[in-house]
Amino acid sequence: QSHPISSTNATVSGRRTMKIFALYNLKGGVGKTASSVNLAFLSAQENLRTLLWDLDPQGAATYYYDLTPRLVGGAERLLSRRARLQSFAQFTQYSNLEMIPADLSNRNMDLLLDDQWRSSDRFDKMLKGLKSDYDVVFIDCPPVLSVLAEHLFRAADYVLFPTVPTTLSERAFAQVVEFFGKFRFQQDKIIPFFSMVDERRMLHRKTIGSFSNTYQQVLQHAIPNADEVELMGEHQAPIFTYADHSEAAQAYRHLWEEIKALP
């Protein structure tokens, strides 16, 4: 049985609970990394021991947190059977927040995850092995349907799916839902939310309405298409450190409240 995250009660019935959120979209440029960075920050601010794993070879989340995109030994060592994910984590400048930075070798993960890994629960065990050290884990996933994606979808408690309200984004979401069905993953793991929304655009308003009617699990709070979010690259920091009272910052806070309440 699963439980909502609580910053005041990290244990349930004597067992420490941990939630794993994979942020994923088949399309790039949808606000996936910005959401990963900001949600991880909010989690840590609530005294939840938080880990952000940057699996996207582009390393944008690593850049936002001003860390060096390099792992000693690379992806091959990270996936070795003796490795513990905790050993790859680095401290950020923010309390309660650690990060496994990106590495160029991440692009080779599909080659390393050979056929025997397809049926193996090793990847799941690696992530579940974090529960003694963290309350919440966020994974910034690469935007591809791959063997790596299969493992992440299987291991995550939820797949948070940032969606720009356009026809192509809706199509990408449908493709992922179909992928889940093909591999018999739990489709109710997929939790979409709207990102980069411009309410002045009729297409955005129309798509939000139709999408919300079709997919009941879509979260209610959307992230606006705002300059403050784009400035994260310039500041190399979460939005709350330089635009705490902005509409976008408040939207992320509301979104995090919804995510915390997921069963």
Side-chain angles (χ1 to χ4, degrees):
Q1 183 179 0
S2 58
H3 305 269
I5 300 172
S6 170
S7 58
T8 57
N9 182 19
T11 60
V12 178
S13 301
R15 295 182 295 108
R16 181 170 296 280
T17 60
M18 179 184 72
K19 284 289 176 65
I20 301 172
F21 299 103
L23 281 99
Y24 177 85
N25 194 309
L26 186 55
K27 286 174 56 62
V30 297
K32 172 181 62 69
T33 296
S35 296
S36 301
V37 168
N38 286 316
L39 291 172
F41 179 86
L42 288 173
S43 173
Q45 289 292 294
E46 296 189 5
N47 293 320
L48 293 166
R49 301 169 306 165
T50 303
L51 177 70
L52 173 58
W53 187 5
D54 188 357
L55 266 175
D56 194 328
Q58 296 179 74
T62 301
Y63 178 80
Y64 285 152
Y65 275 117
D66 198 19
L67 294 177
T68 302
R70 184 173 181 273
L71 296 173
V72 177
E76 186 170 359
R77 177 170 172 261
L78 186 146
L79 292 176
S80 70
R81 294 192 174 276
R82 293 187 300 275
R84 296 175 71 248
L85 285 182
Q86 293 93 322
S87 66
F88 296 90
Q90 297 182 18
F91 291 107
T92 69
Q93 60 183 298
Y94 307 105
S95 299
N96 304 310
L97 180 55
E98 297 179 32
M99 185 172 197
I100 299 177
D103 190 271
L104 274 177
S105 64
N106 285 352
R107 72 190 189 281
N108 298 322
M109 275 205 176
D110 277 330
L111 297 175
L112 298 170
L113 295 171
D114 57 21
D115 287 340
Q116 76 174 50
W117 275 73
R118 282 183 179 272
S119 59
S120 171
D121 61 356
R122 165 67 179 153
F123 206 88
D124 182 75
K125 287 179 178 178
M126 286 174 65
L127 284 165
K128 295 299 191 288
L130 297 170
K131 67 180 181 180
S132 61
D133 295 284
Y134 304 102
D135 302 309
V136 186
V137 176
F138 291 96
I139 306 172
D140 188 14
C141 306
V144 290
L145 281 176
S146 62
V147 177
L148 174 59
E150 290 179 39
H151 286 281
L152 293 172
F153 294 160
R154 185 181 295 112
D157 293 299
Y158 291 102
V159 178
L160 303 178
F161 198 99
T163 304
V164 179
T166 63
T167 303
L168 286 179
S169 291
E170 193 168 7
R171 181 174 179 269
F173 181 78
Q175 288 177 300
V176 174
V177 171
E178 182 181 352
F179 185 85
F180 266 65
K182 177 181 177 181
F183 288 92
R184 298 183 179 179
F185 299 140
Q186 295 174 249
Q187 292 184 343
D188 59 0
K189 281 186 176 186
I190 310 174
I191 308 295
F193 64 93
F194 292 108
S195 178
M196 303 175 69
V197 173
D198 186 347
E199 293 185 349
R200 298 169 300 179
R201 298 183 62 185
M202 181 179 296
L203 175 61
H204 280 207
R205 298 196 304 271
K206 181 180 178 181
T207 303
I208 288 173
S210 63
F211 190 99
S212 299
N213 287 334
T214 304
Y215 303 106
Q216 301 301 313
Q217 293 201 106
V218 62
L219 298 179
Q220 296 302 304
H221 291 92
I223 306 303
N225 188 16
D227 291 341
E228 291 86 356
V229 179
E230 293 186 10
L231 286 171
M232 288 173 61
E234 182 176 319
H235 289 274
Q236 286 191 264
I239 190 173
F240 311 99
T241 64
Y242 61 87
D244 191 44
H245 300 292
S246 65
E247 179 186 359
Q250 294 305 316
Y252 277 118
R253 287 192 175 94
H254 291 312
L255 187 69
W256 172 231
E257 290 300 317
E258 283 193 84
I259 291 169
K260 281 195 303 179
L262 290 170

